[in-house]
Amino acid sequence: MTSSVEVIEDNSQLNENETNMDFATSEKQEARAFLRERFLRVITGIVGKQADFYLYENTRVSAEFRGCDVECLEVYTRNLETPLGKIPEAVLRTSDIIYMDMNDINVAQ
């Protein structure tokens, strides 16, 4: 005879497996792969472009976009122009950026 604890454990394992199976459907995997590829193409396409970064506390800086980390938590820049001067290379936290603006994004450099 099985105890009620074993039955509860078996049911929770079934629910976890069902949830994992929904996440791994081929349609969802294809959609995630498509979106990830599109994101990577955008990021690689804007490397080297001049960007204006609008930060909190009404601050605007500009720099050459050089890339971002895997989790997109940090933005790497070159020749960052700030109100206090120019920094040859800098990392901006995305949590500090309200938005980023790029002109002539389709123009090759």
Side-chain angles (χ1 to χ4, degrees):
M1 181 168 173
T2 62
S3 70
S4 60
V5 173
E6 291 175 13
V7 172
I8 291 171
E9 287 177 4
D10 289 341
N11 286 340
S12 67
Q13 287 176 351
L14 287 175
N15 290 338
E16 288 175 9
N17 289 339
E18 288 175 12
T19 303
N20 290 339
M21 294 306 290
D22 287 342
F23 182 76
T25 63
S26 63
E27 293 86 14
K28 289 183 181 180
Q29 286 178 346
E30 287 177 28
R32 282 192 302 274
F34 172 78
L35 292 172
R36 181 70 178 159
E37 181 182 355
R38 180 177 278 183
F39 171 76
L40 292 172
R41 287 183 186 273
V42 167
I43 294 298
T44 56
I46 63 174
V47 169
K49 303 280 186 181
Q50 190 67 25
D52 292 324
F53 297 92
Y54 293 82
L55 311 175
Y56 287 98
E57 300 197 17
N58 204 22
T59 305
R60 184 177 77 79
V61 296
S62 62
E64 177 187 337
F65 181 85
R66 297 303 302 158
C68 64
D69 65 343
V70 173
E71 295 172 344
C72 207
L73 297 175
E74 297 177 333
V75 173
Y76 308 118
T77 64
R78 181 174 290 154
N79 299 322
L80 181 70
E81 296 177 23
T82 72
L84 297 175
K86 194 170 189 176
I87 302 171
E89 295 195 354
V91 175
L92 301 175
R93 297 178 299 200
T94 54
S95 60
D96 293 334
I97 301 171
I98 298 172
Y99 71 95
M100 166 176 86
D101 187 26
M102 290 185 177
N103 293 325
D104 301 327
I105 196 167
N106 293 324
V107 177
Q109 287 183 338

